[in-house]
Amino acid sequence: MTICLGIESTAHTFSCSLVDEQNILSDVRSIYKPPEGSGIHPREASRHHAEESANVLREALATAKVSIKDVDVLAYSAGPGLGPCLRVGAVVARCLASYHAKPLVPVNHAVGHVELGIRLTHARDPLVLLVSGGHCMILLFSSRRWRVIGETLDITPGQLLDQFGRELGFASPCGARIEELAAKSSKYIRLPYTVKGNDVSYSGLLTAAKKALSSNRVEDVCYSLQETAFAMLAEATERALAFSRKDELLVVGGVAANRRLAEMLATICDRQGARLHVVPIRYAGDCGAQIACTGLEAYKAGIMVEPMKAFVRQSWRIDATDVPWREQSIKISS
Ligand code: AMP
Ligand code: MG
């Protein structure tokens, strides 16, 4: 068995995870919490990561009952993400790789969400909806890469929910609290609905939802915000399913934890004759396991970097990232 240690630090979460080919041996996280009503401050989040990194690593090794000497390969999230946060993970990974003479693998964080989702749900060749704080994309695998066939034209669903939640005085991330409030209403207030082809746009919806708070119950606005935002995603995803004729849909990323979104996606899958796979809630948001699982596959496909060249890329797109192992696995199973 090959053991991989994955380090995640793109935004609010610093996490270390140990995996082998069969199991997630540990996945330990420490999440930076900004003050109520505020968003992530990159410098403060990176300070949190630097302070927590040793504890998180120690606990991840102890939970997995693995010594650092038994780790075969190290992986870190090299982007996309917030520069100061990414650099903490890269420095930790670089130091460990140099000191212990281990191979080092840079992982694209978005590929990490998708690969972990596939591993956990056993999806074979799905259309993927990646919805999180940093991403909103509909993805199809073709010619060694995940290709983006639909995306947001402005902010992501995670940013929509978090920025709306901050208006209510909550601290980010706010998606789960908005989901709780939305479940207490069934009164729909009309809000802007913007789908352009396979793309969605949320900035007008955010402004209108904030305005609606002055003359409506909070629960009704939360309900209407979710209904509108998720119906937009469902429409764009249904069009992509019909176009691609895929018979599986996989939803990953922090917003995949939302039950109402899963319900709407189940409806479109029924209509299109596709099977819905939702990443398990525990692994929906950012975590070391997404980096460790992807790093292990990448390592076996020969992807490595010299520690001195282990840089970060704040805006590293998923469709600029080679995924050579996936082509192989699809060939083998078909
Ligand atoms: P990630 O960037 O993948 O860690 O995902 C974080 C995002 O997921 C944040 O914007 C959260 O508000 C959002 N999120 C977490 N739980 C839920 C939920 N139950 N419903 C909607 N969004 C959620
Ligand atoms: Mg993420």
Side-chain angles (χ1 to χ4, degrees):
M1 285 283 180
T2 311
I3 297 181
C4 179
L5 164 62
I7 300 173
E8 159 58 28
S9 74
T10 51
H12 41 67
T13 301
F14 186 89
S15 173
C16 292
S17 166
L18 287 129
V19 305
D20 62 24
E21 279 91 346
Q22 281 170 6
N23 296 302
I24 296 174
L25 307 170
S26 66
D27 180 84
V28 177
R29 304 168 198 177
S30 175
I31 301 177
Y32 161 73
K33 294 254 184 317
E36 298 269 303
S38 315
I40 300 180
H41 189 304
R43 192 194 59 215
E44 295 304 318
S46 70
R47 184 174 298 163
H48 161 272
H49 296 352
E51 282 169 9
E52 291 294 317
S53 56
N55 290 337
V56 171
L57 174 61
R58 199 175 300 118
E59 199 183 325
L61 290 165
T63 308
K65 300 191 174 59
V66 164
S67 145
I68 189 80
K69 295 200 178 75
D70 301 328
V71 170
D72 298 294
V73 54
L74 289 150
Y76 71 103
S77 55
L82 304 170
C85 298
L86 285 168
R87 280 191 282 277
V88 175
V91 165
V92 172
R94 216 183 281 155
C95 292
L96 288 170
S98 302
Y99 188 76
H100 295 284
K102 309 273 185 197
L104 181 60
V105 179
V107 170
N108 178 291
H109 175 88
V111 172
H113 274 298
V114 178
E115 291 297 322
L116 179 62
I118 289 178
R119 174 161 164 167
L120 293 174
T121 62
H122 307 292
R124 234 181 55 84
D125 182 22
L127 182 81
V128 178
L129 175 64
L130 167 54
V131 271
S132 68
H135 303 282
C136 175
M137 295 186 283
I138 301 171
L139 301 160
L140 259 186
F141 194 80
S142 172
S143 305
R144 291 166 72 92
R145 289 186 181 181
W146 287 101
R147 310 285 169 176
V148 181
I149 62 163
E151 59 192 325
T152 179
L153 298 171
D154 39 52
I155 55 174
T156 66
Q159 286 164 338
L160 168 76
L161 296 170
D162 293 345
Q163 288 184 30
F164 180 74
R166 294 215 292 278
E167 186 78 7
L168 299 175
F170 302 157
S172 289
C174 316
R177 281 179 88 172
I178 291 171
E179 181 175 13
E180 275 169 33
L181 289 167
K184 295 181 183 152
S185 165
S186 55
K187 181 180 171 200
Y188 185 72
I189 303 156
R190 216 177 166 73
L191 292 172
Y193 179 101
T194 317
V195 177
K196 298 182 180 178
N198 282 346
D199 296 334
V200 293
S201 160
Y202 284 127
S203 55
L205 173 58
L206 174 62
T207 309
K210 283 182 182 171
K211 272 195 197 145
L213 283 172
S214 60
S215 50
N216 294 281
R217 280 189 342 134
V218 171
E219 291 84 351
D220 298 340
V221 184
C222 289
Y223 171 76
S224 308
L225 180 67
Q226 276 201 173
E227 291 299 300
T228 312
F230 297 160
M232 285 162 55
L233 283 177
E235 182 192 327
T237 307
E238 180 163 17
R239 191 170 297 126
L241 263 182
F243 163 78
S244 65
R245 309 185 70 176
K246 291 284 176 202
D247 57 8
E248 291 171 290
L249 172 66
L250 170 66
V251 52
V252 293
V255 182
N258 190 287
R259 277 160 293 229
R260 182 61 184 133
L261 175 62
E263 255 174 46
M264 286 195 198
L265 296 176
T267 307
I268 63 159
C269 283
D270 272 355
R271 232 178 355 237
Q272 297 299 326
R275 175 152 180 231
L276 176 63
H277 301 279
V278 182
V279 68
I281 281 197
R282 171 158 168 72
Y283 293 105
D286 295 351
C287 60
Q290 73 190 83
I291 306 305
C293 291
T294 311
L296 184 53
E297 294 293 343
Y299 169 67
K300 291 200 284 184
I303 298 173
M304 270 171 275
V305 68
E306 294 282 314
M308 292 314 289
K309 293 186 185 150
F311 302 126
V312 299
R313 291 163 70 184
Q314 290 187 63
S315 29
W316 183 15
R317 278 184 65 97
I318 192 169
D319 49 9
T321 312
D322 279 333
V323 182
W325 64 90
R326 180 135 305 283
E327 213 148 45
Q328 287 158 16
S329 71
I330 286 171
K331 268 191 206 140
I332 289 162
S333 52
S334 60

